[in-house]
Amino acid sequence: MNKRGIQYNMNYGVSIIHIRQYAKELGYNHQIAQKLWKENMRETKLFALYLFDPKLITEDDLNEIILQINNTELAEQASFSILKDAVIPQNILMEWCQNSSQAVKLTAYSTINRKFKTNTMIEFDFGLFFDVLYHEIAQDFILPTKSISFALSEIARKGCTDKIETFLKKLETIDTKQSTFIVDCVKNEMNMNNI
């Protein structure tokens, strides 16, 4: 895990499958989740993500959680657990997409993907999203390109093919490795799945 940049102060190596199963048995417990999140141990952080109650989480809670995510494992598990069901205003998601932390950006794009996949995205301004994403790609910042590609592909699956195709044409004008990778991945996904 350390070689992949996934670092914790303490790591007992409990599988995420066992953490999810135990959390499911317990059910949501927002108070315990808040306490566990403050500990800098892999298992307490992951366990907390599955114990937070999406109905009780506030915008301040969300920002506190997100800004402490510092690796891919936490980013992915946050988007699979609390974030896919929490009410997150789009402006906050867009702030996360522009954060200097790669883990926070990964969390944002993974969350967008999960919310579209599970139909939990309540309101979404595609123009704003595309503007933010285009700016980030045009600046050639290091981005979580796979997560971005998955999010764009999922948006296309939800009936927004025309918007995605228009955006991909705009991305092709940037002509960087990142933009090319994203365009190629999304086009391949759309072709393979007849989107």
Side-chain angles (χ1 to χ4, degrees):
M1 291 181 103
N2 285 343
K3 286 178 185 176
R4 291 181 11 221
I6 302 173
Q7 297 179 351
Y8 299 96
N9 280 355
M10 182 71 73
N11 181 348
Y12 289 102
V14 178
S15 79
I16 191 64
I17 293 167
H18 289 105
I19 291 171
R20 283 185 195 154
Q21 287 173 340
Y22 191 55
K24 189 175 182 180
E25 287 175 27
L26 288 177
Y28 294 130
N29 190 321
H30 204 72
Q31 199 170 22
I32 289 177
Q34 288 174 317
K35 290 179 182 177
L36 289 173
W37 184 255
K38 290 178 183 171
E39 298 297 321
N40 196 13
M41 293 171 39
R42 175 181 176 269
E43 287 74 13
T44 59
K45 293 271 189 213
L46 292 171
F47 198 41
L49 291 172
Y50 285 92
L51 291 180
F52 279 115
D53 186 340
K55 293 176 184 163
L56 298 179
I57 201 138
T58 66
E59 285 183 25
D60 288 340
D61 291 335
L62 286 171
N63 278 316
E64 183 179 330
I65 291 166
I66 292 305
L67 297 178
Q68 290 180 31
I69 290 178
N70 60 4
N71 64 56
T72 56
E73 182 179 43
L74 287 177
E76 290 168 358
Q77 293 308 313
S79 68
F80 272 69
S81 58
I82 180 65
L83 298 178
K84 78 172 172 56
D85 294 321
V87 175
I88 308 172
Q90 187 178 358
N91 66 312
I92 289 178
L93 275 171
M94 296 304 96
E95 285 174 18
W96 297 345
C97 287
Q98 299 171 83
N99 193 283
S100 60
S101 162
Q102 290 305 302
V104 172
K105 285 182 181 186
L106 174 61
T107 306
Y109 289 111
S110 295
T111 299
I112 291 167
N113 180 28
R114 291 301 302 165
K115 284 185 154 307
F116 273 100
K117 195 172 271 262
T118 58
N119 294 316
T120 56
M121 185 67 80
I122 297 170
E123 291 181 18
F124 199 72
D125 178 343
F126 290 100
L128 175 62
F129 173 63
F130 292 143
D131 286 347
V132 167
L133 182 52
Y134 182 83
H135 176 265
E136 292 288 297
I137 294 170
Q139 296 297 317
D140 207 20
F141 293 134
I142 298 171
L143 298 169
T145 52
K146 286 184 182 177
S147 293
I148 291 169
S149 300
F150 293 148
L152 291 172
S153 298
E154 195 56 45
I155 291 169
R157 272 191 199 88
K158 296 300 179 185
C160 299
T161 309
D162 293 343
K163 291 178 183 177
I164 296 299
E165 287 175 348
T166 301
F167 182 65
L168 293 179
K169 285 178 185 169
K170 188 175 178 183
L171 276 190
E172 288 175 326
T173 64
I174 298 174
D175 195 28
T176 64
K177 285 183 181 180
Q178 286 190 125
S179 64
T180 302
F181 178 87
I182 292 167
V183 169
D184 290 346
C185 280
V186 176
K187 282 184 175 181
N188 287 340
E189 185 71 23
M190 290 170 71
N191 288 336
M192 286 181 6
N193 293 299
N194 296 318
I195 300 172

